[in-house]
Amino acid sequence: MAGALPGQWDVSIEHYPDGTIPAQLLDWVWEAAPVLSTLTKYRLPGAAILRDGGGTELLLAERPWDGRYLIGTLLPSPDHLNVTGAGPRTVVATTAREAAVDVRSLLLPSFEQLVHLARIREVQEDLDWVHGAEPGTVDAVELEAALDRFLTHAPYLLAATRRADAKSLAASETAVLVRFGILLARAPAGAGAQAVPAPAGTDDALSLWLEAGEDLLDAVRAAAVGPAGEPARPAVIAAIPPKPPAAVSAARTR
């Protein structure tokens, strides 16, 4: 299936000799409704984790009672982004080909959109915090951390405005993007505030962020394409699972 997805994916096969998927792995599953998370009730010999090298990780497993493929996303690393709320809908498919189609057309776009919104929310929260604080009360370490988060998210926000399906922007909005583009050209994505070299030093980055950060978010929101319509076939197919085996049920009650 990985070969049918966009980009290059590394596949790691997980084996569970005791037939139980680790709870700590399921804690990282990010899905709209409990589909993969219910697998703790059933024997499962293994699963696979797919990684694209850019922060997207998928969990692939076979549903024990009907052999359908379940593919869901894992939470982004909290070191990179803090997400809240429900995740994308887990894909349920009867064949690997069908699974790849649904992951490519439904799961990945939904994941990317939710991550995009989480980036906007995190930058907005930091700006609200700084602008709402009393003069002289902002902790320097926390301010540096907020700027670092912004410099991590900003390249992705700018990239979203350059998508082929992005909406056209007004000249003033484009000018804001150009200003931040010049700044970020000197600060690699994820490098953080400490890596911004002269002449675009930390003070310049901080000044531009505080001065025009709201304008940047407005431009990013204006360029965003609305959510696509509901697919003809939902990604999650309703199914009534059988009662878990007695041995598994007993183990869960101890």
Side-chain angles (χ1 to χ4, degrees):
M1 189 193 78
L5 299 181
Q8 299 294 320
W9 293 79
D10 176 68
V11 180
S12 299
I13 305 299
E14 303 250 319
H15 298 284
Y16 311 130
D18 63 353
T20 303
I21 189 169
Q24 60 266 33
L25 174 58
L26 292 180
D27 287 342
W28 284 91
V29 171
W30 191 32
E31 56 185 352
V35 178
L36 280 164
S37 58
T38 63
L39 294 181
T40 54
K41 303 175 183 178
Y42 304 91
R43 294 191 61 81
L44 194 72
I49 298 177
L50 286 67
R51 300 179 176 90
D52 72 345
T56 303
E57 296 181 312
L58 307 178
L59 177 61
L60 166 65
E62 285 190 39
R63 197 157 59 184
W65 66 86
D66 62 6
R68 288 180 182 268
Y69 292 100
L70 307 180
I71 309 96
T73 59
L74 299 183
L75 285 164
S77 169
D79 294 333
H80 184 62
L81 177 68
N82 288 315
V83 297
T84 59
R89 292 191 299 175
T90 294
V91 164
V92 181
T94 55
T95 67
R97 178 184 177 85
E98 180 184 302
V101 170
D102 283 353
V103 169
R104 187 171 60 246
S105 62
L106 299 174
L107 184 64
L108 291 179
S110 178
F111 175 81
E112 292 169 1
Q113 174 68 3
L114 289 172
V115 168
H116 177 67
L117 293 176
R119 293 186 192 281
I120 292 176
R121 181 171 57 251
E122 196 159 87
V123 173
Q124 184 69 69
E125 288 174 352
D126 282 334
L127 283 171
D128 291 344
W129 165 67
V130 175
H131 290 316
E134 293 291 333
T137 63
V138 175
D139 181 81
V141 174
E142 293 183 2
L143 181 61
E144 182 178 313
L147 177 60
D148 188 81
R149 284 191 293 272
F150 169 72
L151 291 175
T152 297
H153 297 324
Y156 298 96
L157 298 180
L158 287 180
T161 67
R162 303 188 188 107
R163 289 170 51 112
D165 57 353
K167 296 178 182 177
S168 299
L169 297 175
S172 59
E173 294 169 327
T174 301
V176 171
L177 299 181
V178 170
R179 293 181 67 190
F180 280 98
I182 293 172
L183 172 72
L184 296 175
R186 301 162 184 158
Q194 296 298 329
V196 184
T202 301
D203 289 343
D204 293 331
L206 179 62
S207 177
L208 181 59
W209 173 51
L210 295 179
E211 172 200 344
E214 293 281 359
D215 295 333
L216 172 64
L217 292 182
D218 288 343
V220 171
R221 292 186 180 106
V225 177
E230 286 296 312
R233 179 169 55 80
V236 177
I237 301 175
I240 300 175
K243 183 179 179 180
V248 176
S249 299
R252 299 287 293 175
T253 58
R254 285 202 296 267

